[in-house]
Amino acid sequence: MTSHAVTVRVPAKVNLQLSVGARRPDGYHDLVSVFHAVGLADDVVASPSSDGVTVTVSGEGAGSLPVDGDNLAVRAALALARHVGRPPDVALHLVKSIPVAGGMAGGSADAAGALVACDALWGSDVDRATLLRLAADLGSDVPFALVGGTAVGVGRGIDLTAALARGELHWVFAFDEGGLSTAAVYAEADRLRGGAVRPEPRVSERLMAALRSHDVPAIGAALENDLQRAALSLRPRLARVLDAGREQGALGAIVSGSGPTCAFLAQDAPHAVDLAVALSGSGLCRTVRTAVGPAPGARLVGPTRSEDSGG
Ligand code: C5P
């Protein structure tokens, strides 16, 4: 085990496509999700401790997150410790930039970061396939936070394949006041659909072709999210935020995942800044951030294992 803290940086995600199929007997929905990681990231700092697992939080949403066994990062540390058969001794600190319950997989990022950080701190060297399995047990978006980039997820959203995508995309994210529960948004989507039979979700060929050729306007036009209607039903004011971005020339305007964060695709970096300034000035959102994608998955950015090994 190292005697120094390790820091892992983990990206937020936006879904370029989120197609929701039928509700399964286990309560989850069959999905096609095109995940895209962006450089809006949380840092997970893991420090040695001799007293079990603790967590502290600073930044976005600090104070609104549980700091007990309900925290996803704590659950990740406990799951890894159980798997490798060691005491879960670690002091975790989350430096948050990803909005809490914002539809950008912030909790999932923290869980993925805690897995990688504890593995490095404890020197447990768990293989990638096992980390991905532990990740999937923690939540549907956790495996992608390990992988990053742009990837297609099917089934519950956890079976991932890298997408053929070229170039960078410039995004603007509008954070809203207060989060939305993912489970509540899925339930609202089911309610709005009534008894209608859902076709099996399919990967959008239009989106895939646009990603392959890095045709940014075509990517913007191909963005789709089956949860958007439900998020707007629960949070009607988001429609005005999306309209404001469109009026400012966003190439795509979409609710991110289950919301309430809204994502806007810009033509390039200067356009993203213009869009961010206009959205900030609109008074319609709490905070506006720019970010570039794709971003890498959870990775060590702090001191690596330089001290004694084993442990
Ligand atoms: O897997 P995770 O805990 O992140 O999912 C949160 C909630 O989102 C689930 O409890 C479920 O209501 C919904 N969900 C779903 N189908 C999926 C993924 C998530 O219904 N494929």
Side-chain angles (χ1 to χ4, degrees), residues 10-304:
V10 206
K13 63 84 186 165
V14 57
N15 304 83
L16 307 182
Q17 176 190 354
L18 181 50
S19 297
V20 180
R23 189 172 182 276
R24 316 189 313 195
D26 65 4
Y28 287 92
H29 294 73
D30 275 320
L31 304 179
V32 164
S33 170
V34 180
F35 292 104
H36 178 72
V38 295
L40 176 74
D42 284 359
D43 280 352
V44 179
V45 185
S47 306
S49 164
S50 52
D51 197 19
V53 51
T54 56
V55 68
T56 51
V57 186
S58 60
E60 259 298 317
S64 68
L65 279 182
V67 288
D68 55 15
D70 285 339
N71 188 294
L72 262 186
V74 169
R75 286 174 47 203
L78 292 171
L80 183 69
R82 202 177 314 119
H83 176 77
V84 300
R86 56 154 294 136
D89 294 337
V90 60
L92 295 168
H93 180 66
L94 312 178
V95 184
K96 292 200 58 69
S97 297
I98 309 174
V100 173
M104 299 194 75
S108 303
D110 300 339
L115 284 177
V116 174
C118 291
D119 185 49
L121 183 76
W122 296 336
S124 43
D125 259 332
V126 170
D127 63 80
R128 191 78 177 159
T130 305
L131 275 186
L132 284 166
R133 189 171 51 72
L134 291 171
D137 288 344
L138 290 161
S140 305
D141 291 340
V142 186
F144 177 71
L146 287 178
V147 170
T150 305
V152 181
V154 297
R156 211 184 102 202
I158 60 177
D159 302 318
L160 299 169
T161 312
L164 284 173
R166 289 198 289 139
E168 290 186 331
L169 297 176
H170 295 268
W171 295 93
V172 179
F173 295 100
F175 300 178
D176 197 21
E177 211 68 65
L180 279 175
S181 143
T182 303
V185 175
Y186 273 97
E188 179 68 358
D190 286 340
R191 192 187 69 78
L192 290 172
R193 283 171 176 176
V197 179
R198 295 294 302 171
E200 200 183 313
R202 288 181 183 283
V203 179
S204 159
E205 280 312 320
R206 185 176 162 219
L207 175 63
M208 291 296 128
L211 287 170
R212 278 195 300 272
S213 56
H214 193 61
D215 181 338
V216 182
I219 295 169
L223 298 174
E224 54 177 284
N225 179 1
D226 277 355
L227 293 181
Q228 179 159 312
R229 211 173 132 224
L232 291 177
S233 164
L234 296 175
R235 194 67 67 85
R237 68 169 178 259
L238 296 179
R240 290 181 59 205
V241 181
L242 293 173
D243 283 344
R246 290 188 194 104
E247 280 159 20
Q248 295 299 324
L251 301 177
I254 198 164
V255 169
S256 179
S258 51
T261 305
C262 292
F264 302 92
L265 183 61
Q267 181 60 56
D268 50 26
H271 182 210
V273 172
D274 289 348
L275 206 51
V277 168
L279 283 165
S280 294
S282 74
L284 292 169
C285 19
R286 173 172 65 83
T287 300
V288 178
R289 298 286 305 268
T290 59
V292 178
R299 68 195 195 284
L300 281 167
V301 292
T304 45

